[in-house]
Amino acid sequence: MMIVDTQKNYNEGESMEKRVLIIGAGLAGSEAAWQLAKRGVDVTLVEMRGIKTTPAHKTDLFSELVCSNSLGSDRLENASGLLKDEMRMLDSIILKAADSNRIPAGDALAVDRTNFSRQITDILSNNNNISITNKEMRQIPEDENVIIATGPLTSDSLVDNIIELTGEKCLYFFDAAAPVITRDSIDFEKAFWGSRYNRGDDYINCPMNEKEYEKFWTELVNAETAKLRDFEKPSVFEGCMPVEVMAKRGDKTLLFGPLKPVGFEYRFKDDKPPHAIVQLRRDNIEGTLFNMVGFQTNLKWGEQKRVFRLIPGLENAEFVRYGVMHRNTFIDSPRLLKPTMQMKTDDNIFFAGQLTGVEGYVESAASGLVAGINMYRFIHHKAPIIFPKETGIGALCGYITDPHLLDFQPMNINFGILPSPNKKIRDKKNRRIQVSRNSLFVLSEFINQLD
């Protein structure tokens, strides 16, 4: 078992109070609360939504999904699929709720976002070890056991306190959400059902010929965007790039991204393959709402309606939610955190979620899982654990806390941060499956060794 020494001497002196304060009830905070409460730890979970909202959230439910309703691929040849299976092995509340509220989306684990969040809220609210408090935390109590999981939209006052605590300036980038439209407003004389590579019929696909695409691209790159506040300087994260920013990189960029016209055997009326394909994925279990895959945007709402209605099949699209763009805040984790998610200077203070620089729903929850388990070990005088680098969880935590990283940027789970298999495998899919199977085996052995 891999362990890490800490600055505290667990065998000497009086123990700290075995109660944990978690700030933020998003994916990371909810997961951390669950991991602690199920181990018998008393948790105070503080969430400001309910008395103060953010530019992106719409409800006061825990673990609200503010962008897409998809948690990514669920297949082992995808690193996101590996991370999900690892979290299932560790009894993740986020994966439990996602699996319970799954809706068809091909290989992706997409959920009915309202039912997903409501289930997590109900479980945590009815747990006898968890006390819920609705208020805005402006200060981090340094003499308590704290997990800070306030997410990418941390309030300004708490950001100021984090800067004061860490002695570092917080970094930030911009994140964007895609529009959601009604199924009834889509013209199925032009759109069709299907998934790429014959993996189900879960997506609505809107094909475009070359002339249609060129008109759409021209209007998109010239459309008016919403203005950002003066103190916010845009630095867009590559994994959640606004569609208009991507389009401005070249007239063919979208054709190799979200509008790639590959993976379909469908023959069109003019017997010609499409020049581009726009996909829509269901956003609720009833299948009445669909979000535009890859269409995160900062266009003004009127411009979104005008430009996106140029897509064949969406001429009369009814938008129930327009795309939005907002600031995401994250700390300089390689300089501030250990792979256990503890601060290097204060062992009783943990960080989790997108605030640490992990990017993605599942990744955020995974960091909360690590923080929760290690906080439990910390308050019980056990040395915190470092997950093996061969696992997705270990690779992700290792990456964001790697002190050798000089230009730290947010990171999704990916095979590039996992060790390659010892045996060379030419086929990429088989190679990745082998890496995933090895990771799950290593994690299983690791779990069995834990005390």
Side-chain angles (χ1 to χ4, degrees):
M1 178 178 69
M2 299 176 63
I3 61 175
V4 60
D5 292 331
T6 65
Q7 296 174 354
K8 305 285 184 184
N9 187 332
Y10 298 120
N11 298 316
E12 297 179 7
E14 295 182 357
S15 65
M16 299 179 66
E17 183 183 2
K18 290 183 174 58
R19 172 177 287 277
V20 176
L21 170 67
I22 299 178
I23 308 175
L27 293 161
S30 296
E31 186 65 61
W34 169 251
Q35 294 295 332
L36 284 161
K38 70 178 229 168
R39 289 171 168 83
V41 177
D42 288 331
V43 174
T44 298
L45 182 58
V46 179
E47 173 55 57
M48 76 173 186
R49 284 183 297 112
I51 62 169
K52 183 177 180 179
T53 188
T54 76
H57 289 89
K58 303 298 182 185
T59 75
D60 59 359
L61 296 174
F62 299 165
S63 299
E64 180 182 343
L65 305 182
V66 299
C67 293
S68 167
N69 70 320
S70 172
L71 278 68
S73 175
D74 212 19
R75 297 169 67 93
L76 280 182
E77 63 264 34
N78 188 295
S80 179
L82 165 63
L83 192 60
K84 292 181 185 67
D85 275 358
E86 290 183 357
M87 293 177 66
R88 290 184 178 106
M89 292 172 63
L90 292 160
D91 189 33
S92 162
I93 188 176
I94 300 301
L95 265 296
K96 185 178 298 184
D99 288 334
S100 297
N101 294 284
R102 184 171 194 152
I103 58 179
D107 297 332
L109 176 54
V111 302
D112 180 302
R113 68 175 80 212
T114 301
N115 290 341
F116 166 80
S117 296
R118 184 174 289 121
Q119 180 175 336
I120 294 170
T121 304
D122 289 345
I123 291 174
L124 297 184
S125 298
N126 292 300
N127 190 297
N128 292 331
N129 291 328
I130 299 176
S131 132
I132 310 295
T133 301
N134 285 111
K135 70 176 182 178
E136 180 186 358
M137 292 291 295
R138 298 176 179 271
Q139 295 284 325
I140 300 165
E142 297 181 40
D143 58 346
E144 294 185 33
N145 303 311
V146 183
I147 297 177
I148 304 165
T150 47
L153 297 175
T154 299
S155 65
D156 292 341
S157 57
L158 191 57
V159 166
D160 290 341
N161 188 228
I162 291 171
I163 293 173
E164 182 181 347
L165 173 67
T166 62
E168 299 279 348
K169 288 186 177 180
C170 286
L171 311 175
Y172 55 88
F173 64 98
F174 282 84
D175 202 1
V180 174
I181 65 178
T182 62
R183 172 184 169 178
D184 289 345
S185 66
I186 299 171
D187 182 0
F188 284 94
E189 290 294 318
K190 299 177 180 178
F192 66 95
W193 291 92
S195 296
R196 288 192 175 95
Y197 309 110
N198 295 318
R199 291 173 177 169
D201 293 319
D202 300 327
Y203 291 80
I204 297 174
N205 304 275
C206 299
M208 307 171 77
N209 61 36
E210 187 172 2
K211 184 177 180 180
E212 291 166 336
Y213 173 78
E214 288 176 353
K215 179 177 174 61
F216 166 75
W217 180 86
T218 299
E219 295 300 321
L220 177 62
V221 297
N222 289 292
E224 189 175 0
T225 58
K227 291 183 179 180
L228 303 173
R229 290 174 289 181
D230 291 340
F231 70 89
E232 297 175 321
K233 56 179 182 180
S235 177
V236 180
F237 173 56
E238 295 285 332
C240 200
M241 183 180 299
V243 66
E244 64 273 11
V245 174
M246 191 184 306
K248 288 176 181 178
R249 294 188 171 185
D251 59 356
K252 293 182 174 57
T253 304
L254 295 176
L255 300 178
F256 292 93
L259 274 67
K260 56 181 179 288
V262 298
F264 291 99
E265 297 179 357
Y266 184 88
R267 303 301 290 178
F268 298 87
K269 292 180 179 179
D270 58 4
D271 204 34
K272 292 181 180 179
H275 188 74
I277 289 182
V278 174
Q279 289 196 301
L280 297 98
R281 178 181 57 234
R282 72 175 66 198
D283 201 68
N284 62 349
I285 196 165
E286 294 83 7
T288 57
L289 301 177
F290 280 75
N291 64 64
M292 302 177 69
V293 178
F295 272 71
Q296 299 87 356
T297 182
N298 189 42
L299 295 183
K300 287 188 172 182
W301 290 3
E303 291 288 78
Q304 291 183 43
K305 179 185 290 188
R306 180 182 67 84
V307 175
F308 297 157
R309 281 183 170 180
L310 294 174
I311 299 169
L314 303 186
E315 292 90 347
N316 298 303
E318 177 188 0
F319 293 83
V320 297
R321 187 189 74 193
Y322 288 101
V324 295
M325 189 171 179
H326 53 85
R327 189 187 74 179
N328 277 0
T329 305
F330 63 97
I331 62 174
D332 191 4
S333 292
R335 253 57 66 189
L336 299 174
L337 300 184
K338 303 175 184 180
T340 58
M341 308 311 291
Q342 289 169 289
M343 285 191 67
K344 292 179 179 179
T345 55
D346 299 90
D347 283 349
N348 60 304
I349 299 178
F350 290 66
F351 280 84
Q354 283 185 272
L355 193 58
T356 67
V358 296
E359 176 59 28
Y361 292 148
V362 181
E363 291 88 339
S364 295
S367 70
L369 184 150
V370 174
I373 292 175
N374 275 326
M375 177 62 89
Y376 166 80
R377 296 180 67 84
F378 171 75
I379 64 177
H380 286 85
H381 313 302
K382 299 179 180 181
I385 60 173
I386 296 177
F387 281 79
K389 64 181 181 180
E390 295 84 1
T391 66
I393 294 173
L396 187 64
C397 292
Y399 175 84
I400 66 167
T401 60
D402 182 355
H404 298 100
L405 286 176
L406 299 179
D407 184 20
F408 178 54
Q409 292 294 321
M411 177 63 71
N412 292 103
I413 185 66
N414 63 83
F415 286 108
I417 62 175
L418 281 155
S420 300
N422 294 326
K423 181 181 178 182
K424 287 188 177 182
I425 304 174
R426 288 192 174 186
D427 182 78
K428 183 171 68 174
K429 176 181 176 180
N430 291 335
R431 182 171 65 249
R432 290 180 170 182
I433 289 175
Q434 181 58 45
V435 170
S436 292
R437 287 175 176 168
N438 179 66
S439 298
L440 295 174
F441 173 78
V442 170
L443 181 61
S444 177
E445 293 290 300
F446 180 69
I447 292 171
N448 291 335
Q449 294 175 27
L450 295 178
D451 54 355

